[in-house]
Amino acid sequence: MLDISKDLTEKRKTEHIRISLNEDVEGKNITTGLENYRFIPNALPELSFDEISLSTTLLNKQMRTPFLISSMTGGTETAYQINQQLAMAAQEKGWALGLGSMRAAVENEDLAYTFQIRKYASDIPIIANIGAVQLNYDFGIDQCRQAVEMAEADMLVLHLNTLQEVFQPEGDTNFSHLLSKIEEIANSLHVPVGVKEVGMGIDEKTADRLTSAGIQFIDVAGAGGTSWIQVESYRSNDSIRKEAAEAFLDWGLPTAESILAVRKNNFSTPLIASGGLKNGVDAAKSIALGANLAGFGRLLLPSAVENDVEALLVQMERIEFEMRAAMFGIGAGRIEELAHSDRLLKKV
């Protein structure tokens, strides 16, 4: 007997990858906001470039770099191949790795292997991933724990994707009374629990509610990069949704603004900046604005799809070099110094 739900999941995941690679899925008339900031150069940094350190910590876990490969995919054989490439590259460079939504694997153990990449990434932080809305669709502590154990993950992120679900043909749209359920997961799971958006950003009030509920880290995933409204519009056969997606081309809180908004009242909560970052200078700006880690997603996808680990490593090396060069250029020898630098100005 055919497993129709599995077939539909594989079709959706495959379409997401294809559309992200081949279609114009970035928002319009909206950017990350990072271009509105510039560093003041330090002509006399009193540093040796070779001594600049990118090492940092995330929730007491030592990291060689302040970078994350953001959540992308899983649930199909193609997705497994992508995750394998990403894991090998992340291990080589010392980046954290976020997994795509693991709902399908929790519901169907035959798909679990697509997220089981710890053997390729022995000591980097791995972040398991479940849609927060699934807590209203029969997911709870047991399913979240299963996802973490399946991936041998160091932490779990619950992703918020309200408008993606609204525009998704098969979307789950009951987001009512979620905060109390998020709080239960955060206070019961055996690993740190965080929350991320998927490209629309997190505002100040939402961040305050989440941290008050016990959430231990936040990934802003701001606007300026991939718009999942646009991705889903390419998948939809619903003419109303396809046309309505055009009204949301500039929807979201830009990444830079979201960093500042989350950090305003949450001074010690680990904060990940993702959403449209293009290079190591964007990453350096993000950390100077208040983030702890910088996440890169669709930028790395083409090399992963081509099973080209070497190309991935070259991209990651470039991003690292750009950040180190930016740090050298302002006289910051360590990530802590970059984070507390007074050399980032907003353009007038």
Side-chain angles (χ1 to χ4, degrees):
M1 181 176 178
L2 290 176
D3 186 337
I4 296 175
S5 64
K6 179 181 177 182
D7 290 344
L8 290 175
T9 296
E10 290 185 352
K11 182 175 183 290
R12 182 173 74 250
K13 299 290 188 179
T14 299
E15 287 176 343
H16 282 164
I17 295 169
R18 177 186 60 78
I19 291 168
S20 295
L21 284 172
N22 300 316
E23 305 292 351
D24 182 4
V25 293
E26 290 196 357
K28 298 293 182 291
N29 301 318
I30 191 166
T31 67
T32 65
L34 293 168
E35 75 282 358
N36 294 324
Y37 293 84
R38 64 157 54 98
F39 284 110
I40 301 172
N42 183 347
L44 186 61
E46 298 284 6
L47 285 173
S48 168
F49 182 73
D50 293 338
E51 294 175 357
I52 291 174
S53 172
L54 297 182
S55 66
T56 188
T57 58
L58 177 65
L59 293 166
N60 298 318
K61 190 170 180 66
Q62 189 67 34
M63 294 182 58
R64 284 177 278 156
T65 75
F67 298 118
L68 164 75
I69 297 179
S70 296
S71 307
M72 280 191 267
T73 191
T76 70
E77 174 60 29
T78 298
Y80 170 63
Q81 297 298 327
I82 292 172
N83 282 339
Q84 181 180 339
Q85 305 303 309
L86 295 173
M88 290 190 292
Q91 175 64 32
E92 175 73 18
K93 300 303 296 180
W95 291 34
L97 175 63
L99 298 174
S101 174
M102 299 179 67
R103 170 190 171 189
V106 171
E107 293 178 337
N108 184 341
E109 63 181 14
D110 290 344
L111 300 176
Y113 79 96
T114 67
F115 297 98
Q116 292 171 336
I117 43 76
R118 176 58 83 183
K119 56 183 172 289
Y120 304 109
S122 60
D123 60 12
I124 60 168
I126 292 179
I127 306 176
N129 181 3
I130 292 290
V133 73
Q134 298 311 315
L135 302 179
N136 278 341
Y137 292 86
D138 299 323
F139 270 52
I141 295 293
D142 290 343
Q143 288 75 21
C144 290
R145 183 180 296 113
Q146 183 181 346
V148 170
E149 293 175 351
M150 179 190 303
E152 299 179 67
D154 300 279
M155 55 200 80
L156 172 73
V157 72
L158 300 170
H159 69 262
L160 299 172
N161 62 335
T162 51
L163 289 189
Q164 181 188 6
E165 296 288 353
V166 166
F167 280 87
Q168 188 175 107
E170 59 280 78
D172 294 322
T173 56
N174 179 15
F175 277 75
S176 60
H177 309 297
L178 270 183
L179 186 61
S180 61
K181 296 177 181 179
I182 291 172
E183 182 173 16
E184 180 183 9
I185 301 298
N187 293 325
S188 302
L189 211 61
H190 60 291
V191 297
V193 177
V195 163
K196 76 182 297 291
E197 237 286 341
V198 299
M200 300 301 167
I202 292 179
D203 67 290
E204 176 187 342
K205 291 182 179 179
T206 301
D208 294 348
R209 292 160 62 207
L210 289 169
T211 53
S212 294
I215 284 299
Q216 292 170 272
F217 66 96
I218 291 175
D219 183 341
V220 299
T226 302
S227 166
W228 283 92
I229 296 172
Q230 301 309 313
V231 173
E232 297 299 349
S233 75
Y234 280 103
R235 297 185 58 239
S236 181
N237 293 318
D238 182 332
S239 61
I240 290 178
R241 280 177 167 77
K242 289 183 77 69
E243 291 181 22
E246 298 299 307
F248 291 85
L249 285 170
D250 64 351
W251 188 268
L253 186 63
T255 298
E257 293 181 28
S258 193
I259 295 168
L260 293 172
V262 172
R263 189 53 86 203
K264 185 173 182 180
N265 299 323
N266 299 283
F267 305 109
S268 60
T269 302
L271 178 58
I272 300 169
S274 67
L277 275 64
K278 295 293 193 294
N279 51 55
V281 178
D282 281 351
K285 290 178 181 180
S286 297
I287 290 175
L289 285 172
N292 299 94
L293 259 61
F296 293 84
R298 190 160 59 94
L299 182 72
L300 304 175
L301 183 59
S303 296
V305 169
E306 294 296 326
N307 293 325
D308 193 342
V309 173
E310 291 305 316
L312 266 175
L313 291 172
V314 168
Q315 285 181 291
M316 295 161 78
E317 181 69 25
R318 173 183 59 79
I319 290 167
E320 291 180 17
F321 174 80
E322 289 164 347
M323 174 172 272
R324 293 178 74 238
M327 291 170 65
F328 185 62
I330 64 170
R334 297 178 298 125
I335 293 299
E336 292 86 352
E337 295 172 9
L338 173 62
H340 293 98
S341 175
D342 61 0
R343 287 184 169 272
L344 186 69
L345 293 183
K346 190 167 186 178
K347 299 176 185 177
V348 178

